[in-house]
Amino acid sequence: MTTAPAPPASAPPAPARRRRPSARHLVLLPLSLLMVVPFVYMLGASVMTRAQLNRFPPPLVPPGMDLTGYRELLSDSEFPRWFLNSVLVAGAIVTSQVVLCSMAGYAFARLRFSGRRTALVLVIATTLIPFQLTVIPTFLIFHRLHLINTLGALIAPQLASALGVYLMTSFFQNFPRELEEAARIDGCSRWGVFFRVVLPVARPALVALAVITFIYAWNDLFWPLVAISSSENYTVQAGLTTFQGQHRADWPQIMAGTVLTTVPVLIVFLVGQRRFVQALAGAVKG
Amino acid sequence: MSALLSTGRSDRGTSARSGRGPGRRGGPGRRRRLTDEAAGWSFAGPSTLLVLGFSLLPMGWALRLSLTDSDLVTEGQGVGLDNYRALADDPVFWRSIRNTLELTGLYIPISLLLGLGIALLLNKPIRGIGFYRACFLVPFVASAAAEGLLMAFVFDKDFGVVNGLITRAGLPAQGFLDDPSQAMFVITGIFIWTQFGFNVVIYLAALQEIPAEVLEAAAIDGAGPWRTFRHIVVPSVRPISLFLAVWGLIDCLQFFDLLMTSTKGGPVNSTITIVYYVWQLAFEYFTAGYGAAVAYALFAGSLVAIVIGLVFGRRKGFLL
């Protein structure tokens, strides 16, 4: 929260340079706070009582701290199970993408083999295929494999991604060659070079890929809703949809659920913010 | 993206040369080439197979499916182009198209202007830029499912906080998501809130690429803020604007998650979008064949829209 206060009246030096930024803050501060106010309200509502939330007009700030919503959510609903499922699914997807996409990116950027360019173009072109077009057959594929309603069905389609391959390919194209060459001369195998020399140096890019992948995997709703038929195998996002309608009056519990669903992704985002932003911006400039 | 692909080509040129000539580290060229092939494909193969397998295979299958009356579980009978013909007389299909167009028509211009405006404000050495950027990205990062529930709560007509504020200000309470004439606009506003932080970040990166000398030269020539914006900033970010417009179009065409936890397409289909309709057809009504046809119609339409957008947008310089 390093927001510049209005310039003190008793500070004469360099007024021209200080006045402009502070005018920007006057616009930016309210706008940026407006973006997060709904989440602050969500947090507040999660600690209000049902009676307080069913009153009109509703209170803007919680009159007290009431944790009934959280207690009911964690003991009476399947939320803990959904949370565990989300952690398992997102964890498996992130691990697999970091390994597979960095391998592919390294190969596309650095190794020579036939069909390399065609394969890369095809992979990138698949981003134009909308998911709603592939979702019905993908469901049918997993149905035939008897994997519908398992966590495996949630993980398998996301083991690698075009975006991940693309990000890692552009990263490895700007990667210094000297290190690998030195290791090769010292008699290291291709795999040895990759795992012992390249990957450790590529850590910033791997973190960026992991953060992006986690955010997408954690937030996905469409596919879990399609692929999972019994609520015990839901992820948190799919679980949230069961709240709408069923517990319509139970807003403290619903808000507790949205808080606990949002917190992990916010933590990952805030910790990896710099890498996340660089990767987004870099993917576009590529 | 084009830079990436062209670099690929030049790399291949050098590899062909070194393959033909005497290898720097010796060894018979043929055997080295074979091990290179094996190494390359063992690294790139798994991702390539997974990505292509989960896109091209279903894409072909969906086309076949769209020519049947499959009920999702059984194969169904071939019905030729009947599914596509039925689209013409399906009021819900047309409603979903209208809603999706409304969403796109409002979302793209507003989110681009807001994104560029805020990026311009942030594009000076400014204290707390990390804080601001985080604030604008939080709704983008949080899940649309949670945001849909949150907004259904905030905009609830009977005890939502927005109506609370409106009535406290002495104005009449609104129906919002329960009012068919308002719901699509409210949803569009929520969607803009969730997504435009992405535009801020991308525009900010583009603005920082504009060389400082160009801006200084403009200032020396006496260009004011408006002329600098009009003649330097807008042309420099035009390719990015085009990219963000196409990206926004794809986002609008796939608009689903927010609906699922807020309006579920209602009231009376007033917020139903094409994707939501595809989902309903396949997984609620079990008319997978028809659902696949709707999805294919959407895919064809969006490809045409993207191509027109790219060609037209680039030639006319329409987009910012």
Side-chain angles (χ1 to χ4, degrees), chain A residues 1-4 18 20 24-25 27-29 31-33 35-36 38-39 41-42 45 53-58 60 100-101 103-104 106-109 111-117 119-124 126 128-134 136-144 156-157 159-162 165-166 169-170 173 177 181 190-191 194 215 219 221-222 225-226 237 240-241 244 248 251 254-255 258 262 265-266 269-270 273 276-277 280-281 284-286, chain B residues 1 3-9 11-12 14-15 24-25 32 36-37 39-44 46-48 50-52 54-59 61-62 65 72-73 75 118 120-122 124 126-128 130-143 145-147 149-154 156 158-161 163-165 167-168 193 196 198 201-202 205 209 240 243 253-254 256-257 260-262 264 275 278-279 282-283 288 291-292 295-296 298-299:
Chain A
M1 282 262 206
T2 51
T3 48
R18 292 212 58 156
R20 282 182 69 103
R24 284 161 192 270
H25 287 300
V27 184
L28 282 169
L29 192 59
L31 274 178
S32 61
L33 291 181
M35 298 296 283
V36 292
F39 294 100
Y41 189 70
M42 171 170 97
L53 282 182
N54 288 343
R55 199 182 299 148
F56 189 87
L60 293 176
L100 293 184
C101 295
M103 274 165 50
Y106 179 69
F108 284 130
L111 305 181
R112 280 116 192 73
F113 53 97
S114 51
R116 170 179 79 128
R117 224 174 95 79
L120 180 59
V121 170
L122 274 176
V123 165
I124 293 174
T126 61
L128 287 177
I129 303 172
F131 191 59
Q132 60 271 23
L133 187 61
T134 55
I136 304 173
T138 307
F139 172 86
L140 293 173
I141 292 172
F142 284 100
H143 185 72
R144 299 236 168 130
L159 285 172
S161 73
V165 172
Y166 173 70
T169 307
S170 35
Q173 276 177 339
R177 232 165 241 280
E181 283 176 358
R190 282 235 186 272
W191 292 93
F194 180 71
I215 290 173
N219 285 343
L221 172 67
F222 197 41
L225 218 49
V226 166
Q237 312 294 344
L240 285 184
T241 64
Q244 175 70 347
R248 200 167 161 90
W251 283 113
I254 297 178
M255 286 299 115
T258 55
T262 308
V265 81
L266 280 191
F269 163 65
L270 290 174
Q273 200 207 146
F276 179 74
V277 168
L280 283 190
V284 174
K285 273 186 283 171
Chain B
M1 216 176 249
L4 180 87
L5 298 178
S6 60
T7 324
R9 174 172 282 161
D11 271 14
R12 196 154 98 151
T14 53
S15 84
R24 254 196 304 161
R25 281 183 292 279
R32 260 210 68 193
D36 278 0
E37 294 280 321
W41 278 110
S42 57
F43 273 91
S47 289
T48 307
L50 282 164
V51 172
L52 296 186
F54 279 113
S55 53
L56 297 185
L57 179 70
M59 205 176 145
W61 196 337
L65 207 61
L72 194 62
V73 185
E75 288 274 313
I118 288 166
L120 280 169
L121 287 174
L122 286 171
K124 283 275 165 68
I126 188 167
R127 237 197 281 170
F131 167 75
Y132 288 129
R133 213 168 36 194
C135 284
F136 286 109
L137 271 180
V138 161
F140 177 71
V141 170
S143 80
E147 289 169 340
L149 270 181
L150 171 62
M151 286 300 156
F153 173 58
V154 167
D156 192 282
D158 296 323
F159 46 88
V161 71
N163 259 344
L165 292 173
T167 49
R168 257 176 246 189
W193 168 67
F196 91 95
F198 176 72
V201 168
I202 303 298
E209 298 274 293
I240 290 298
F243 166 84
L253 290 172
Q254 313 215 350
F256 176 85
D257 293 10
M260 197 61 215
T261 50
S262 57
K264 293 196 188 281
V275 187
V278 169
W279 178 80
F283 301 104
Y296 248 100
L298 162 68
F299 177 52

Side-chain angles (χ1 to χ4, degrees), chain A residues 69-120:
Chain A
Y70 288 92
R71 211 173 298 123
E72 287 176 355
L73 181 78
L74 295 177
S75 58
D76 304 344
S77 81
E78 290 176 290
F79 192 87
R81 181 72 193 263
W82 300 336
F83 197 91
L84 179 67
N85 290 342
S86 276
V87 170
L88 290 175
V89 169
I93 291 174
V94 168
T95 312
S96 161
Q97 287 219 14
V98 166
V99 174
L100 293 184
C101 295
S102 60
M103 274 165 50
Y106 179 69
F108 284 130
R110 282 306 169 80
L111 305 181
R112 280 116 192 73
F113 53 97
S114 51
R116 170 179 79 128
R117 224 174 95 79
T118 318
L120 180 59

